[in-house]
Amino acid sequence: MRVDVVTIFPEYLAPLELSLVGKARQAGLLDVRVHDLRDWTTDRHRTVDDTPFGGGAGMVMRPDVWGRALDELLADGPARLVVPTPSGEPFTQRHAESWAGEDRLIVACGRYEGIDARVVEHYRDRLPVTELSLGDYVLNGGEVAALVVVEAVARLLPGVVGNPDSLVEESHGADGLLEYPVYTKPAAWEGLDVPDVLLSGHHGKVERWRRDEALERTAERRPDLLARLDVAALDKHDRQTLGRLGWVVVGNHLELVRPA
Ligand code: ADE
Protein backbone atom coordinates (compact mmCIF):
# COMPACT_ATOMS: atom_id res chain seq x y z
CA MET A 1 0.00 0.00 0.00
CA ARG A 2 1.16 3.55 -0.73
CA VAL A 3 0.46 6.57 1.50
CA ASP A 4 1.41 10.12 0.45
CA VAL A 5 1.39 12.70 3.25
CA VAL A 6 1.43 16.37 2.22
CA THR A 7 2.38 18.86 4.95
CA ILE A 8 4.30 22.06 5.59
CA PHE A 9 6.16 20.20 8.39
CA PRO A 10 7.62 17.05 6.79
CA GLU A 11 9.84 16.48 9.88
CA TYR A 12 6.67 15.98 11.93
CA LEU A 13 6.23 12.61 10.22
CA ALA A 14 9.67 11.30 11.29
CA PRO A 15 8.12 8.79 13.77
CA LEU A 16 6.87 6.83 10.76
CA GLU A 17 10.45 5.57 10.42
CA LEU A 18 10.21 3.80 13.81
CA SER A 19 8.78 0.60 15.20
CA LEU A 20 6.30 -1.56 13.29
CA VAL A 21 5.53 1.10 10.69
CA GLY A 22 9.23 1.70 10.04
CA LYS A 23 9.81 -2.06 9.71
CA ALA A 24 6.83 -2.43 7.38
CA ARG A 25 8.31 0.28 5.17
CA GLN A 26 11.72 -1.40 5.14
CA ALA A 27 10.09 -4.73 4.31
CA GLY A 28 8.33 -3.13 1.35
CA LEU A 29 4.84 -3.79 2.80
CA LEU A 30 4.12 -0.07 3.03
CA ASP A 31 5.34 2.79 0.85
CA VAL A 32 5.06 6.11 2.77
CA ARG A 33 6.09 9.29 0.92
CA VAL A 34 6.13 12.60 2.81
CA HIS A 35 5.95 15.77 0.70
CA ASP A 36 6.51 19.43 1.54
CA LEU A 37 3.50 21.44 0.35
CA ARG A 38 5.81 24.42 -0.21
CA ASP A 39 7.38 22.54 -3.13
CA TRP A 40 4.21 23.51 -5.06
CA THR A 41 4.34 27.25 -4.27
CA THR A 42 5.37 29.65 -7.02
CA ASP A 43 6.40 32.80 -5.14
CA ARG A 44 9.72 33.75 -3.58
CA HIS A 45 8.31 33.44 -0.05
CA ARG A 46 6.83 29.97 -0.71
CA THR A 47 3.43 31.17 0.52
CA VAL A 48 0.78 28.53 1.28
CA ASP A 49 -1.87 30.67 3.05
CA ASP A 50 -3.79 33.93 2.87
CA THR A 51 -6.40 35.93 4.81
CA PRO A 52 -9.98 34.56 4.92
CA PHE A 53 -12.60 36.09 2.62
CA GLY A 54 -15.34 37.54 4.83
CA GLY A 55 -12.81 38.44 7.51
CA GLY A 56 -12.03 36.80 10.80
CA ALA A 57 -9.01 35.55 12.65
CA GLY A 58 -6.23 33.39 11.24
CA MET A 59 -5.16 32.32 7.80
CA VAL A 60 -6.58 29.84 5.27
CA MET A 61 -4.53 27.53 3.04
CA ARG A 62 -4.72 28.49 -0.65
CA PRO A 63 -6.57 26.11 -3.00
CA ASP A 64 -4.23 26.75 -5.94
CA VAL A 65 -1.17 25.45 -4.05
CA TRP A 66 -3.08 22.37 -2.83
CA GLY A 67 -4.47 21.85 -6.35
CA ARG A 68 -1.00 21.71 -7.92
CA ALA A 69 0.23 19.33 -5.22
CA LEU A 70 -2.72 16.96 -5.46
CA ASP A 71 -2.85 16.99 -9.28
CA GLU A 72 0.82 16.05 -9.46
CA LEU A 73 0.40 13.22 -6.93
CA LEU A 74 -2.74 11.96 -8.65
CA ALA A 75 -0.89 11.83 -11.97
CA ASP A 76 0.69 8.64 -10.51
CA GLY A 77 -2.75 7.02 -10.26
CA PRO A 78 -5.95 7.00 -8.21
CA ALA A 79 -6.09 7.35 -4.41
CA ARG A 80 -8.42 8.11 -1.52
CA LEU A 81 -7.96 11.67 -0.24
CA VAL A 82 -8.00 11.95 3.56
CA VAL A 83 -8.32 15.46 4.99
CA PRO A 84 -7.90 15.68 8.78
CA THR A 85 -10.09 18.35 10.33
CA PRO A 86 -11.95 18.73 13.65
CA SER A 87 -15.15 19.06 11.59
CA GLY A 88 -14.68 15.66 9.93
CA GLU A 89 -16.30 12.30 10.70
CA PRO A 90 -14.83 10.55 13.76
CA PHE A 91 -12.00 8.15 12.83
CA THR A 92 -12.76 4.57 13.90
CA GLN A 93 -11.34 1.07 13.48
CA ARG A 94 -13.91 0.59 10.67
CA HIS A 95 -12.13 3.28 8.60
CA ALA A 96 -8.76 1.63 9.30
CA GLU A 97 -10.08 -1.81 8.27
CA SER A 98 -11.62 -0.50 5.09
CA TRP A 99 -8.58 1.55 4.04
CA ALA A 100 -6.16 -1.31 4.74
CA GLY A 101 -7.78 -2.95 1.71
CA GLU A 102 -7.17 0.05 -0.56
CA ASP A 103 -4.12 0.67 -2.76
CA ARG A 104 -3.37 4.26 -1.89
CA LEU A 105 -4.17 7.14 0.47
CA ILE A 106 -3.18 10.79 0.19
CA VAL A 107 -3.35 12.59 3.55
CA ALA A 108 -3.61 16.37 3.13
CA CYS A 109 -2.49 18.03 6.37
CA GLY A 110 -4.02 21.45 6.89
CA ARG A 111 -2.65 24.07 9.27
CA TYR A 112 -3.94 27.45 10.43
CA GLU A 113 -7.74 27.76 10.08
CA GLY A 114 -7.81 24.96 7.51
CA ILE A 115 -7.77 24.45 3.75
CA ASP A 116 -9.96 26.52 1.38
CA ALA A 117 -13.26 24.55 1.20
CA ARG A 118 -13.11 24.38 -2.60
CA VAL A 119 -10.30 21.82 -2.45
CA VAL A 120 -12.53 19.12 -0.96
CA GLU A 121 -15.44 20.24 -3.19
CA HIS A 122 -13.28 19.93 -6.33
CA TYR A 123 -11.71 16.53 -5.56
CA ARG A 124 -14.94 14.97 -4.23
CA ASP A 125 -16.12 14.71 -7.85
CA ARG A 126 -12.91 12.96 -8.87
CA LEU A 127 -11.99 10.54 -6.07
CA PRO A 128 -13.19 9.22 -2.70
CA VAL A 129 -12.63 11.94 -0.10
CA THR A 130 -12.90 11.58 3.69
CA GLU A 131 -12.76 14.55 6.03
CA LEU A 132 -11.68 12.96 9.26
CA SER A 133 -11.58 13.98 12.93
CA LEU A 134 -9.50 12.31 15.63
CA GLY A 135 -11.92 13.48 18.29
CA ASP A 136 -13.73 16.43 19.77
CA TYR A 137 -10.75 18.66 20.41
CA VAL A 138 -8.68 21.00 18.26
CA LEU A 139 -5.09 20.28 17.23
CA ASN A 140 -2.74 22.69 15.48
CA GLY A 141 -2.84 20.77 12.22
CA GLY A 142 -3.47 17.44 10.52
CA GLU A 143 0.00 15.92 11.06
CA VAL A 144 -0.88 14.04 14.25
CA ALA A 145 -3.95 12.64 12.48
CA ALA A 146 -1.71 11.50 9.59
CA LEU A 147 0.48 9.62 12.10
CA VAL A 148 -2.62 8.04 13.65
CA VAL A 149 -4.13 6.99 10.33
CA VAL A 150 -0.88 5.49 8.99
CA GLU A 151 -0.28 3.51 12.19
CA ALA A 152 -3.87 2.27 12.51
CA VAL A 153 -3.99 1.19 8.86
CA ALA A 154 -0.43 -0.18 8.58
CA ARG A 155 -0.84 -2.66 11.46
CA LEU A 156 -3.76 -4.26 9.61
CA LEU A 157 -1.72 -4.90 6.44
CA PRO A 158 -0.79 -8.57 5.99
CA GLY A 159 2.63 -9.30 7.49
CA VAL A 160 3.02 -6.09 9.54
CA VAL A 161 1.98 -7.44 12.97
CA GLY A 162 4.00 -10.60 13.73
CA ASN A 163 1.13 -12.58 15.29
CA PRO A 164 -2.14 -11.82 13.46
CA ASP A 165 -4.09 -13.40 16.37
CA SER A 166 -3.29 -10.28 18.40
CA LEU A 167 -5.44 -8.27 15.98
CA VAL A 168 -8.46 -10.45 16.65
CA GLU A 169 -9.23 -9.92 20.33
CA GLU A 170 -8.36 -6.28 20.78
CA SER A 171 -10.54 -3.31 21.67
CA HIS A 172 -12.71 -2.00 18.85
CA GLY A 173 -12.46 -5.33 17.09
CA ALA A 174 -15.35 -6.94 15.28
CA ASP A 175 -17.30 -7.87 18.45
CA GLY A 176 -17.82 -4.18 19.27
CA LEU A 177 -16.55 -4.48 22.87
CA LEU A 178 -13.57 -3.05 24.72
CA GLU A 179 -10.80 -5.51 25.52
CA TYR A 180 -10.71 -7.44 28.81
CA PRO A 181 -7.87 -6.62 31.27
CA VAL A 182 -4.59 -8.50 30.78
CA TYR A 183 -1.99 -9.73 33.29
CA THR A 184 1.47 -11.31 33.29
CA LYS A 185 4.09 -12.41 35.83
CA PRO A 186 4.56 -11.96 38.72
CA ALA A 187 1.23 -13.42 39.88
CA ALA A 188 1.38 -11.27 43.03
CA TRP A 189 2.59 -7.65 42.93
CA GLU A 190 2.20 -4.79 45.42
CA GLY A 191 -0.49 -6.77 47.26
CA LEU A 192 -2.47 -7.26 44.03
CA ASP A 193 -3.13 -10.81 42.81
CA VAL A 194 -3.91 -11.92 39.28
CA PRO A 195 -7.51 -13.23 39.17
CA ASP A 196 -7.51 -16.94 40.16
CA VAL A 197 -9.40 -18.05 37.07
CA LEU A 198 -6.47 -17.01 34.84
CA LEU A 199 -4.18 -19.40 36.76
CA SER A 200 -6.73 -22.25 36.71
CA GLY A 201 -5.75 -23.65 33.32
CA HIS A 202 -9.48 -24.04 32.58
CA HIS A 203 -9.76 -22.63 29.05
CA GLY A 204 -13.58 -22.43 29.03
CA LYS A 205 -13.71 -20.54 32.32
CA VAL A 206 -10.97 -18.15 31.18
CA GLU A 207 -12.89 -17.38 27.98
CA ARG A 208 -16.11 -16.75 29.92
CA TRP A 209 -14.35 -14.54 32.47
CA ARG A 210 -12.73 -12.47 29.70
CA ARG A 211 -16.03 -12.07 27.90
CA ASP A 212 -17.75 -10.90 31.11
CA GLU A 213 -14.93 -8.44 31.84
CA ALA A 214 -15.21 -7.06 28.30
CA LEU A 215 -18.98 -6.63 28.69
CA GLU A 216 -18.58 -5.00 32.12
CA ARG A 217 -15.84 -2.61 30.99
CA THR A 218 -17.80 -1.60 27.93
CA ALA A 219 -20.95 -1.00 30.01
CA GLU A 220 -18.98 1.15 32.43
CA ARG A 221 -16.77 3.11 30.05
CA ARG A 222 -18.51 3.10 26.66
CA PRO A 223 -22.27 2.60 27.02
CA ASP A 224 -22.58 4.15 23.54
CA LEU A 225 -20.86 1.03 22.12
CA LEU A 226 -23.27 -1.33 23.94
CA ALA A 227 -26.25 0.58 22.61
CA ARG A 228 -24.96 -0.08 19.06
CA LEU A 229 -24.04 -3.74 19.61
CA ASP A 230 -25.46 -6.45 17.35
CA VAL A 231 -27.60 -8.47 19.80
CA ALA A 232 -27.53 -11.53 17.52
CA ALA A 233 -23.93 -12.06 18.69
CA LEU A 234 -24.94 -12.28 22.38
CA ASP A 235 -25.35 -15.72 23.96
CA LYS A 236 -27.50 -16.57 26.99
CA HIS A 237 -24.67 -15.99 29.43
CA ASP A 238 -23.83 -12.60 27.81
CA ARG A 239 -27.45 -11.56 28.32
CA GLN A 240 -27.34 -12.64 31.99
CA THR A 241 -24.13 -10.66 32.58
CA LEU A 242 -25.58 -7.60 30.86
CA GLY A 243 -28.82 -8.00 32.84
CA ARG A 244 -26.82 -7.78 36.09
CA LEU A 245 -25.32 -4.55 34.71
CA GLY A 246 -28.80 -3.16 34.02
CA TRP A 247 -28.87 -3.77 30.24
CA VAL A 248 -31.65 -5.73 28.52
CA VAL A 249 -32.35 -6.74 24.94
CA VAL A 250 -35.27 -4.74 23.54
CA GLY A 251 -36.11 -5.74 19.96
CA ASN A 252 -32.75 -5.90 18.16
CA HIS A 253 -30.73 -3.66 20.47
CA LEU A 254 -29.63 -3.26 24.08
CA GLU A 255 -31.14 -0.70 26.43
CA LEU A 256 -30.02 0.46 29.85
CA VAL A 257 -33.06 -0.04 32.07
CA ARG A 258 -31.42 0.29 35.45
CA PRO A 259 -28.04 1.92 36.20
CA ALA A 260 -25.73 -0.78 37.69
N1 ADE B 1 -6.88 19.09 12.88
C1 ADE B 1 -7.11 19.89 13.94
N2 ADE B 1 -7.82 19.27 14.86
C2 ADE B 1 -8.07 18.01 14.41
C3 ADE B 1 -8.78 16.89 14.90
N3 ADE B 1 -9.40 16.91 16.08
N4 ADE B 1 -8.82 15.78 14.14
C4 ADE B 1 -8.22 15.76 12.95
N5 ADE B 1 -7.54 16.78 12.42
C5 ADE B 1 -7.46 17.91 13.14
PDB file of all heavy atoms in Angstrom, residues 163-183:
ATOM      1  N   ASN A 163       2.142 -11.563  14.999  1.00  0.00           N
ATOM      2  CA  ASN A 163       1.134 -12.585  15.290  1.00  0.00           C
ATOM      3  C   ASN A 163      -0.253 -12.023  14.990  1.00  0.00           C
ATOM      4  O   ASN A 163      -0.792 -11.265  15.787  1.00  0.00           O
ATOM      5  CB  ASN A 163       1.233 -12.999  16.756  1.00  0.00           C
ATOM      6  CG  ASN A 163       0.175 -14.030  17.130  1.00  0.00           C
ATOM      7  OD1 ASN A 163      -0.603 -14.459  16.273  1.00  0.00           O
ATOM      8  ND2 ASN A 163       0.146 -14.404  18.397  1.00  0.00           N
ATOM      9  N   PRO A 164      -0.852 -12.395  13.857  1.00  0.00           N
ATOM     10  CA  PRO A 164      -2.141 -11.818  13.460  1.00  0.00           C
ATOM     11  C   PRO A 164      -3.257 -12.093  14.468  1.00  0.00           C
ATOM     12  O   PRO A 164      -4.248 -11.365  14.501  1.00  0.00           O
ATOM     13  CB  PRO A 164      -2.450 -12.454  12.103  1.00  0.00           C
ATOM     14  CG  PRO A 164      -1.305 -13.325  11.754  1.00  0.00           C
ATOM     15  CD  PRO A 164      -0.357 -13.394  12.900  1.00  0.00           C
ATOM     16  N   ASP A 165      -3.076 -13.129  15.346  1.00  0.00           N
ATOM     17  CA  ASP A 165      -4.090 -13.398  16.374  1.00  0.00           C
ATOM     18  C   ASP A 165      -4.265 -12.197  17.295  1.00  0.00           C
ATOM     19  O   ASP A 165      -5.337 -11.972  17.843  1.00  0.00           O
ATOM     20  CB  ASP A 165      -3.703 -14.598  17.238  1.00  0.00           C
ATOM     21  CG  ASP A 165      -3.868 -15.903  16.485  1.00  0.00           C
ATOM     22  OD1 ASP A 165      -4.504 -15.867  15.410  1.00  0.00           O
ATOM     23  OD2 ASP A 165      -3.360 -16.929  16.957  1.00  0.00           O
ATOM     24  N   SER A 166      -3.192 -11.418  17.486  1.00  0.00           N
ATOM     25  CA  SER A 166      -3.286 -10.281  18.404  1.00  0.00           C
ATOM     26  C   SER A 166      -4.184  -9.191  17.840  1.00  0.00           C
ATOM     27  O   SER A 166      -4.576  -8.275  18.547  1.00  0.00           O
ATOM     28  CB  SER A 166      -1.901  -9.734  18.739  1.00  0.00           C
ATOM     29  OG  SER A 166      -1.283  -9.212  17.579  1.00  0.00           O
ATOM     30  N   LEU A 167      -4.518  -9.255  16.561  1.00  0.00           N
ATOM     31  CA  LEU A 167      -5.436  -8.267  15.982  1.00  0.00           C
ATOM     32  C   LEU A 167      -6.888  -8.645  16.257  1.00  0.00           C
ATOM     33  O   LEU A 167      -7.779  -7.820  16.160  1.00  0.00           O
ATOM     34  CB  LEU A 167      -5.245  -8.174  14.468  1.00  0.00           C
ATOM     35  CG  LEU A 167      -3.874  -7.719  13.968  1.00  0.00           C
ATOM     36  CD1 LEU A 167      -3.842  -7.742  12.452  1.00  0.00           C
ATOM     37  CD2 LEU A 167      -3.533  -6.339  14.484  1.00  0.00           C
ATOM     38  N   VAL A 168      -7.096  -9.933  16.598  1.00  0.00           N
ATOM     39  CA  VAL A 168      -8.463 -10.450  16.654  1.00  0.00           C
ATOM     40  C   VAL A 168      -9.198 -10.006  17.912  1.00  0.00           C
ATOM     41  O   VAL A 168     -10.336  -9.564  17.853  1.00  0.00           O
ATOM     42  CB  VAL A 168      -8.473 -11.994  16.549  1.00  0.00           C
ATOM     43  CG1 VAL A 168      -9.879 -12.547  16.747  1.00  0.00           C
ATOM     44  CG2 VAL A 168      -7.921 -12.426  15.191  1.00  0.00           C
ATOM     45  N   GLU A 169      -8.512 -10.099  19.074  1.00  0.00           N
ATOM     46  CA  GLU A 169      -9.234  -9.918  20.326  1.00  0.00           C
ATOM     47  C   GLU A 169      -9.088  -8.531  20.932  1.00  0.00           C
ATOM     48  O   GLU A 169      -9.339  -8.330  22.098  1.00  0.00           O
ATOM     49  CB  GLU A 169      -8.748 -10.967  21.345  1.00  0.00           C
ATOM     50  CG  GLU A 169      -9.265 -12.342  21.003  1.00  0.00           C
ATOM     51  CD  GLU A 169      -9.196 -13.301  22.169  1.00  0.00           C
ATOM     52  OE1 GLU A 169      -8.853 -12.867  23.274  1.00  0.00           O
ATOM     53  OE2 GLU A 169      -9.492 -14.483  21.946  1.00  0.00           O
ATOM     54  N   GLU A 170      -8.644  -7.556  20.142  1.00  0.00           N
ATOM     55  CA  GLU A 170      -8.356  -6.280  20.778  1.00  0.00           C
ATOM     56  C   GLU A 170      -9.561  -5.339  20.768  1.00  0.00           C
ATOM     57  O   GLU A 170     -10.550  -5.566  20.093  1.00  0.00           O
ATOM     58  CB  GLU A 170      -7.148  -5.625  20.137  1.00  0.00           C
ATOM     59  CG  GLU A 170      -7.372  -5.274  18.705  1.00  0.00           C
ATOM     60  CD  GLU A 170      -6.071  -4.895  18.021  1.00  0.00           C
ATOM     61  OE1 GLU A 170      -5.013  -4.972  18.655  1.00  0.00           O
ATOM     62  OE2 GLU A 170      -6.151  -4.510  16.856  1.00  0.00           O
ATOM     63  N   SER A 171      -9.451  -4.281  21.559  1.00  0.00           N
ATOM     64  CA  SER A 171     -10.538  -3.308  21.666  1.00  0.00           C
ATOM     65  C   SER A 171     -10.899  -2.770  20.287  1.00  0.00           C
ATOM     66  O   SER A 171     -10.037  -2.564  19.447  1.00  0.00           O
ATOM     67  CB  SER A 171     -10.102  -2.140  22.547  1.00  0.00           C
ATOM     68  OG  SER A 171      -9.929  -2.559  23.868  1.00  0.00           O
ATOM     69  N   HIS A 172     -12.167  -2.528  20.102  1.00  0.00           N
ATOM     70  CA  HIS A 172     -12.709  -2.001  18.853  1.00  0.00           C
ATOM     71  C   HIS A 172     -12.593  -2.992  17.713  1.00  0.00           C
ATOM     72  O   HIS A 172     -12.643  -2.630  16.554  1.00  0.00           O
ATOM     73  CB  HIS A 172     -12.078  -0.648  18.495  1.00  0.00           C
ATOM     74  CG  HIS A 172     -12.265   0.361  19.576  1.00  0.00           C
ATOM     75  ND1 HIS A 172     -13.510   0.827  19.926  1.00  0.00           N
ATOM     76  CD2 HIS A 172     -11.396   0.927  20.427  1.00  0.00           C
ATOM     77  CE1 HIS A 172     -13.369   1.662  20.946  1.00  0.00           C
ATOM     78  NE2 HIS A 172     -12.107   1.746  21.275  1.00  0.00           N
ATOM     79  N   GLY A 173     -12.431  -4.259  18.089  1.00  0.00           N
ATOM     80  CA  GLY A 173     -12.463  -5.327  17.095  1.00  0.00           C
ATOM     81  C   GLY A 173     -13.900  -5.595  16.672  1.00  0.00           C
ATOM     82  O   GLY A 173     -14.819  -4.873  17.056  1.00  0.00           O
ATOM     83  N   ALA A 174     -14.062  -6.683  15.926  1.00  0.00           N
ATOM     84  CA  ALA A 174     -15.348  -6.942  15.282  1.00  0.00           C
ATOM     85  C   ALA A 174     -16.488  -7.150  16.274  1.00  0.00           C
ATOM     86  O   ALA A 174     -17.644  -6.908  15.947  1.00  0.00           O
ATOM     87  CB  ALA A 174     -15.216  -8.158  14.378  1.00  0.00           C
ATOM     88  N   ASP A 175     -16.185  -7.604  17.535  1.00  0.00           N
ATOM     89  CA  ASP A 175     -17.296  -7.874  18.450  1.00  0.00           C
ATOM     90  C   ASP A 175     -17.869  -6.596  19.078  1.00  0.00           C
ATOM     91  O   ASP A 175     -18.861  -6.662  19.795  1.00  0.00           O
ATOM     92  CB  ASP A 175     -16.925  -8.928  19.507  1.00  0.00           C
ATOM     93  CG  ASP A 175     -15.881  -8.432  20.512  1.00  0.00           C
ATOM     94  OD1 ASP A 175     -15.469  -7.266  20.403  1.00  0.00           O
ATOM     95  OD2 ASP A 175     -15.488  -9.232  21.374  1.00  0.00           O
ATOM     96  N   GLY A 176     -17.242  -5.454  18.824  1.00  0.00           N
ATOM     97  CA  GLY A 176     -17.819  -4.182  19.275  1.00  0.00           C
ATOM     98  C   GLY A 176     -17.645  -3.899  20.752  1.00  0.00           C
ATOM     99  O   GLY A 176     -18.286  -2.988  21.289  1.00  0.00           O
ATOM    100  N   LEU A 177     -16.771  -4.673  21.431  1.00  0.00           N
ATOM    101  CA  LEU A 177     -16.547  -4.479  22.871  1.00  0.00           C
ATOM    102  C   LEU A 177     -15.128  -3.997  23.129  1.00  0.00           C
ATOM    103  O   LEU A 177     -14.228  -4.223  22.324  1.00  0.00           O
ATOM    104  CB  LEU A 177     -16.750  -5.806  23.615  1.00  0.00           C
ATOM    105  CG  LEU A 177     -18.121  -6.462  23.505  1.00  0.00           C
ATOM    106  CD1 LEU A 177     -18.101  -7.824  24.195  1.00  0.00           C
ATOM    107  CD2 LEU A 177     -19.201  -5.566  24.106  1.00  0.00           C
ATOM    108  N   LEU A 178     -14.922  -3.367  24.283  1.00  0.00           N
ATOM    109  CA  LEU A 178     -13.569  -3.049  24.720  1.00  0.00           C
ATOM    110  C   LEU A 178     -12.877  -4.336  25.152  1.00  0.00           C
ATOM    111  O   LEU A 178     -13.529  -5.315  25.516  1.00  0.00           O
ATOM    112  CB  LEU A 178     -13.612  -2.063  25.893  1.00  0.00           C
ATOM    113  CG  LEU A 178     -14.287  -0.722  25.622  1.00  0.00           C
ATOM    114  CD1 LEU A 178     -14.155   0.183  26.853  1.00  0.00           C
ATOM    115  CD2 LEU A 178     -13.697  -0.029  24.396  1.00  0.00           C
ATOM    116  N   GLU A 179     -11.554  -4.312  25.166  1.00  0.00           N
ATOM    117  CA  GLU A 179     -10.802  -5.512  25.520  1.00  0.00           C
ATOM    118  C   GLU A 179     -10.827  -5.752  27.028  1.00  0.00           C
ATOM    119  O   GLU A 179     -10.847  -4.802  27.818  1.00  0.00           O
ATOM    120  CB  GLU A 179      -9.350  -5.387  25.046  1.00  0.00           C
ATOM    121  CG  GLU A 179      -8.674  -6.732  24.893  1.00  0.00           C
ATOM    122  CD  GLU A 179      -7.194  -6.623  24.520  1.00  0.00           C
ATOM    123  OE1 GLU A 179      -6.693  -5.498  24.381  1.00  0.00           O
ATOM    124  OE2 GLU A 179      -6.547  -7.673  24.390  1.00  0.00           O
ATOM    125  N   TYR A 180     -10.799  -7.032  27.397  1.00  0.00           N
ATOM    126  CA  TYR A 180     -10.708  -7.438  28.810  1.00  0.00           C
ATOM    127  C   TYR A 180      -9.328  -7.040  29.356  1.00  0.00           C
ATOM    128  O   TYR A 180      -8.376  -6.864  28.592  1.00  0.00           O
ATOM    129  CB  TYR A 180     -10.918  -8.953  28.917  1.00  0.00           C
ATOM    130  CG  TYR A 180     -10.081  -9.754  27.945  1.00  0.00           C
ATOM    131  CD1 TYR A 180      -8.733  -9.997  28.203  1.00  0.00           C
ATOM    132  CD2 TYR A 180     -10.623 -10.227  26.748  1.00  0.00           C
ATOM    133  CE1 TYR A 180      -7.948 -10.703  27.308  1.00  0.00           C
ATOM    134  CE2 TYR A 180      -9.847 -10.929  25.836  1.00  0.00           C
ATOM    135  CZ  TYR A 180      -8.508 -11.161  26.130  1.00  0.00           C
ATOM    136  OH  TYR A 180      -7.728 -11.840  25.228  1.00  0.00           O
ATOM    137  N   PRO A 181      -9.179  -6.937  30.705  1.00  0.00           N
ATOM    138  CA  PRO A 181      -7.871  -6.619  31.270  1.00  0.00           C
ATOM    139  C   PRO A 181      -6.894  -7.782  31.108  1.00  0.00           C
ATOM    140  O   PRO A 181      -7.310  -8.935  31.098  1.00  0.00           O
ATOM    141  CB  PRO A 181      -8.170  -6.354  32.753  1.00  0.00           C
ATOM    142  CG  PRO A 181      -9.467  -7.017  33.026  1.00  0.00           C
ATOM    143  CD  PRO A 181     -10.228  -7.070  31.739  1.00  0.00           C
ATOM    144  N   VAL A 182      -5.614  -7.458  30.968  1.00  0.00           N
ATOM    145  CA  VAL A 182      -4.593  -8.496  30.777  1.00  0.00           C
ATOM    146  C   VAL A 182      -3.566  -8.442  31.903  1.00  0.00           C
ATOM    147  O   VAL A 182      -3.354  -7.392  32.514  1.00  0.00           O
ATOM    148  CB  VAL A 182      -3.890  -8.358  29.402  1.00  0.00           C
ATOM    149  CG1 VAL A 182      -4.874  -8.624  28.271  1.00  0.00           C
ATOM    150  CG2 VAL A 182      -3.251  -6.973  29.250  1.00  0.00           C
ATOM    151  N   TYR A 183      -2.950  -9.584  32.193  1.00  0.00           N
ATOM    152  CA  TYR A 183      -1.986  -9.733  33.294  1.00  0.00           C
ATOM    153  C   TYR A 183      -0.833 -10.614  32.857  1.00  0.00           C
ATOM    154  O   TYR A 183      -0.998 -11.478  31.994  1.00  0.00           O
ATOM    155  CB  TYR A 183      -2.663 -10.407  34.502  1.00  0.00           C
ATOM    156  CG  TYR A 183      -3.874  -9.669  35.023  1.00  0.00           C
ATOM    157  CD1 TYR A 183      -5.142  -9.912  34.480  1.00  0.00           C
ATOM    158  CD2 TYR A 183      -3.755  -8.725  36.039  1.00  0.00           C
ATOM    159  CE1 TYR A 183      -6.257  -9.233  34.936  1.00  0.00           C
ATOM    160  CE2 TYR A 183      -4.874  -8.038  36.511  1.00  0.00           C
ATOM    161  CZ  TYR A 183      -6.117  -8.295  35.960  1.00  0.00           C
ATOM    162  OH  TYR A 183      -7.217  -7.622  36.414  1.00  0.00           O
TER     163      TYR A 183
END
